[in-house]
Amino acid sequence: MRLGELVPAPVARLPWGVLLLLTAIGGFGTVVLFSAAGGSVTPWASSQALRFCIFMGMAITLSWVPARIWAAIALPGYAITLAALFGVEMLGAVRGGSQRWLELGPIRIQPSEFMKPFIVLAVAKFYDMLPPNETRKFGAIWPAAILIGLPAGLVMLQPDLGTALMITGGGVVVMFLAGIPLRLFIGGALGLALFIPLAVNYLLHDYQRNRVLIFLNPENDPLGTGYHISQSKIAIGSGGLFGKGFGNGSQVHLDYLPEGHTDFVFATMAEEWGMVGGLLLILAFMLLIRWGMNVAHRAPDRFSRLAAAGLATTIFYYVAINLMMVMGLAPVVGIPLPLVSFGGSAQMTTLICVGILMSINRASTRQPSW
């Protein structure tokens, strides 16, 4: 008996393979947080699981929004989110030395999280409106550069280097896929490389500059700024092939590993589940991103193709930057591992991206791809 004969057709048409994959990643993350708390559902595992269920329901709801609606609200949504980022600069709440949130009564929101999907949608909408023969002209570059530069600059002021990089990366990928000549990206990369020393010396905050310097020379301050990276490498390396066993991670349980439930949760997992657990988790993320790129490949129009590819790339950036960060292959920029690290922001953004991808997938085929 077919699934469509047992449940309503809209439910049967959901990509259940992707939903099960997301549930597996989120469930595994909850198990890791349970262990990180010493075998307790509080304070992290229970609230993480509750948020996952809420955001998964939100993603399924978004999947039923017609894909044409995303094209219609791309630029207005971008404008509202950009205005909220200006609002953060003027009225935002300061916590832990950062000014990233707007407090609206009992609700506290972080507009930069909403900008991650909206920058992709807005740049995709811009190139969708642009005639194809204009794509290789200067007029195809500077509006997109402004669309990307404004929110990235505002987020840098908060300061939040990691989110600014993700906003920039999401928008630039859409520019590349839209057909902007490759030589311009190579020239931009070379110019950026020349600009990096000036940015490190004059634009970054002291703690951000120290993170970059420690990335270049991790042994320079192993008990200070380099402590996170050193302990993360020890935790990952000590896990070996199969790990120390569930609940037996000494680095996190003896409090050697800072932020073992948030940004460095992969090190917590790798110590107890080993390289095998780490590779399986990476494989799960790769399957999710591959599905997103397949949605882009099948999308019926230019906006949907660019948007789907950009949203899948946003998820990729989350995973790649976090893994490179915890392994000492990139500076520590505060990017969590989506659906695994404790916290709602990355969970929400990831599942918004997945919800829009499911919406585009629904528009491109009457049957789920998985």
Side-chain angles (χ1 to χ4, degrees):
M1 184 174 291
R2 297 176 60 181
L3 182 61
E5 299 173 353
L6 299 175
V7 298
V11 176
R13 288 180 56 197
L14 287 171
W16 285 102
V18 173
L19 296 179
L20 291 173
L21 180 62
L22 290 168
T23 303
I25 297 173
F28 184 54
T30 303
V31 169
V32 174
L33 293 176
F34 175 82
S35 174
S40 171
V41 296
T42 58
W44 304 315
S46 57
S47 56
Q48 180 85 347
L50 176 62
R51 276 195 293 250
F52 177 80
C53 293
I54 294 172
F55 292 139
M56 182 67 97
M58 176 197 66
I60 293 173
T61 302
L62 293 179
S63 76
W64 285 322
V65 175
R68 57 184 168 77
I69 299 296
W70 298 116
I73 67 172
L75 293 178
Y78 169 88
I80 293 171
T81 310
L82 185 65
L85 286 176
F86 276 109
V88 169
E89 289 304 312
M90 294 183 288
L91 307 169
V94 179
R95 296 179 184 277
S98 300
Q99 188 172 351
R100 302 177 183 176
W101 300 270
L102 278 179
E103 293 188 344
L104 307 173
I107 301 175
R108 189 178 65 177
I109 63 172
Q110 188 174 349
S112 58
E113 288 298 324
F114 293 99
M115 184 53 79
K116 292 172 185 172
F118 268 117
I119 187 65
V120 170
L121 297 179
V123 178
K125 180 62 179 178
F126 167 70
Y127 285 109
D128 181 50
M129 296 188 299
L130 195 71
N133 60 348
E134 298 287 329
T135 304
R136 302 180 74 84
K137 298 181 179 178
F138 182 67
I141 299 173
W142 67 265
I146 292 176
L147 284 174
I148 298 168
L150 278 176
L154 289 170
V155 173
M156 277 293 292
L157 294 176
Q158 294 181 356
D160 189 348
L161 176 61
T163 298
L165 290 174
M166 289 196 61
I167 290 172
T168 303
V172 168
V173 162
V174 177
M175 291 179 69
F176 176 73
L177 295 175
I180 299 298
L182 179 61
R183 65 178 184 278
L184 296 180
F185 292 96
I186 295 175
L190 293 175
L192 184 62
L194 296 175
F195 177 71
I196 286 177
L198 294 175
V200 170
N201 285 307
Y202 300 108
L203 295 183
L204 297 185
H205 291 257
D206 288 342
Y207 76 92
Q208 292 173 326
R209 185 180 307 113
N210 288 337
R211 288 175 176 178
V212 174
L213 296 177
I214 284 299
F215 163 67
L216 297 174
N217 186 7
E219 309 304 326
N220 193 39
D221 188 14
L223 299 179
T225 308
Y227 185 76
H228 289 67
I229 292 299
S230 299
Q231 295 303 319
S232 177
K233 289 179 179 177
I234 292 172
I236 294 172
S238 63
L241 187 59
F242 296 106
K244 296 177 179 176
F246 180 62
N248 295 323
S250 56
Q251 289 298 110
V252 63
H253 294 307
L254 296 178
D255 290 331
Y256 287 114
L257 178 65
E259 307 296 338
H261 63 291
T262 53
D263 293 353
F264 288 84
V265 71
F266 184 82
T268 300
M269 182 281 303
E271 185 181 18
E272 297 189 351
W273 297 80
M275 188 175 73
V276 172
L279 289 177
L280 288 175
L281 183 59
I282 292 172
L283 176 63
F285 279 118
M286 289 177 63
L287 289 173
L288 177 63
I289 295 164
R290 177 174 172 268
W291 167 78
M293 297 306 290
N294 284 337
V295 170
H297 181 69
R298 296 192 307 273
D301 54 68
R302 181 175 171 84
F303 169 79
S304 297
R305 284 194 296 273
L306 293 175
L311 293 170
T313 304
T314 298
I315 299 173
F316 168 78
Y317 281 145
Y318 262 121
V319 178
I321 295 176
N322 178 270
L323 294 182
M324 291 174 66
M325 192 178 75
V326 300
M327 295 178 189
L329 301 176
V332 177
V333 291
I335 296 296
L337 189 61
L339 308 179
V340 181
S341 293
F342 177 73
S345 297
Q347 250 189 348
M348 180 190 69
T349 304
T350 302
L351 290 174
I352 286 177
C353 292
V354 171
I356 300 174
L357 282 167
M358 288 194 292
S359 170
I360 296 172
N361 183 56
R362 183 185 294 272
S364 59
T365 176
R366 297 186 64 83
Q367 297 296 328
S369 58
W370 280 12

